[in-house]
Amino acid sequence: PGWDALDAEKRQDKPEILLVIRDSDGNFVREVTCPASKGFNRVSWDLRETSTNAINIDRISNASPSGLWAGPGTYTATLQKRVDGVVTKLSGPVTFEVEKLYDGALKGASKQELAEFWSYYGELRGASSALNLALKDAEEKTKAMIAALNRTPQYPEGLYEDLHALKHELHEIDEQLNGQPSKREVGEKTRISINNRLRMSWSGANSTYGPTANHRKSLEIAAEEFEALRTNFEIIRSETIPNIEQALMNAGAPWMQGQPLPKK
């Protein structure tokens, strides 16, 4: 077939069959990947919305990860195919109802209250996972800047101190977000972190009964603490790290990943 044809085949995306779920207002809920083989195939939706967690570029999967439960209501399913980036509808939309199988022994939250709590929890959980990934990136960037400084013949005075302080600021943010690392290693109880409060709230979000007052309070505290932590981290990411990086570049440090490519 020729080398060009072989290279084109290697670069071609795998064709996909997709089941797209939407709510009664037409809002996207979930995309389910279907078998693309001959004959009759079965696929099911697990009645969960798409995940709000941030995307880790080192762990990307074509599958759509599960999020929170979809509430009772009217939904549609549409069968589509995606070939070379072009999406074509194959069948549908088909309308169906999601209903509670039974009423619980205890009175739970209303459908509206449940939906609002799920939505708020999902947004905060997604933001927390984004901060976790951004924090890891900042820690790796700090390690790279220390390595670059070690290879800079003449560097501005005070940069080692600045990088040392930056490293400890990032560790403090990680501790507030996830708890003390030494205690986490052995399962020892640590001070209540933001993600501890989110996990506690999850027990209310992951239930058709809905959140209790404790679940709501835990989520409220987590949101307040997260906002303060996010503001602090944004200053570090937008000011502290770029200023140190610029000082390294001015001092003739080696090129680091993520910087503009050198001209020569």
Side-chain angles (χ1 to χ4, degrees):
W3 298 114
D4 291 342
L6 291 174
D7 286 342
E9 184 177 331
K10 286 180 178 293
R11 290 191 295 264
Q12 187 177 29
D13 293 333
K14 182 180 179 180
E16 294 178 292
I17 303 296
L18 307 167
L19 188 68
V20 180
I21 309 297
R22 297 183 183 277
D23 63 18
S24 58
D25 295 323
N27 299 315
F28 174 81
V29 175
R30 187 78 181 277
E31 184 180 272
V32 182
T33 302
C34 306
S37 55
K38 291 182 179 181
F40 288 98
N41 294 287
R42 289 180 179 274
V43 66
S44 61
W45 172 41
D46 61 4
L47 299 181
R48 290 183 178 270
E49 299 179 354
T50 191
S51 173
T52 58
N53 284 354
I55 296 174
N56 186 340
I57 61 175
D58 295 324
R59 299 178 182 177
I60 294 177
S61 171
N62 289 332
S64 175
S66 296
L68 296 172
W69 289 109
T74 303
Y75 294 86
T76 63
T78 304
L79 197 64
Q80 301 177 341
K81 69 175 181 179
R82 185 161 56 209
V83 180
D84 293 334
V86 179
V87 177
T88 306
K89 184 172 77 171
L90 297 176
S91 178
V94 174
T95 302
F96 62 96
E97 295 290 327
V98 172
E99 300 178 353
K100 293 179 66 174
L101 291 179
Y102 57 86
D103 291 326
L106 302 175
K107 182 181 179 181
S110 68
K111 176 182 174 182
Q112 181 65 26
E113 290 173 328
L114 195 57
E116 289 175 357
F117 186 82
W118 281 352
S119 176
Y120 189 47
Y121 170 85
E123 289 176 5
L124 186 55
R125 181 72 189 96
S128 173
S129 65
L131 178 54
N132 256 320
L133 290 178
L135 182 60
K136 285 180 172 56
D137 288 343
E139 289 172 340
E140 291 301 315
K141 185 77 169 184
T142 302
K143 291 178 184 177
M145 289 193 293
I146 292 173
L149 185 56
N150 289 335
R151 293 169 54 188
T152 304
Q154 293 185 357
Y155 50 84
E157 187 177 349
L159 269 187
Y160 270 118
E161 290 84 349
D162 292 342
L163 284 166
H164 179 78
L166 171 60
K167 185 168 65 172
H168 283 275
E169 281 186 85
L170 296 176
H171 289 168
E172 177 61 27
I173 291 175
D174 176 63
E175 187 173 317
Q176 293 180 56
L177 189 61
N178 299 303
Q180 292 176 264
S182 296
K183 288 187 174 182
R184 295 201 310 260
E185 284 184 0
V186 295
E188 183 69 26
K189 287 185 178 180
T190 180
R191 74 176 186 181
I192 300 177
S193 67
I194 292 173
N195 280 333
N196 283 148
R197 297 191 184 279
L198 281 174
R199 281 190 288 273
M200 190 271 183
S201 302
W202 167 251
S203 61
N206 195 34
S207 164
T208 54
Y209 273 111
T212 65
N214 279 341
H215 294 134
R216 295 180 189 276
K217 186 63 177 178
S218 181
L219 193 60
E220 179 184 330
I221 296 173
E224 291 175 359
E225 293 181 350
F226 174 82
E227 185 56 32
L229 201 62
R230 186 196 65 81
T231 301
N232 184 28
F233 179 75
E234 283 291 10
I235 294 173
I236 293 174
R237 189 168 70 159
S238 62
E239 297 179 17
T240 306
I241 291 178
N243 289 342
I244 296 176
E245 188 174 11
Q246 187 60 55
L248 284 167
M249 293 172 65
N250 294 342
W255 181 85
M256 287 183 292
Q257 187 175 341
Q259 291 180 339
L261 289 174
K263 295 181 180 180
K264 60 179 179 178

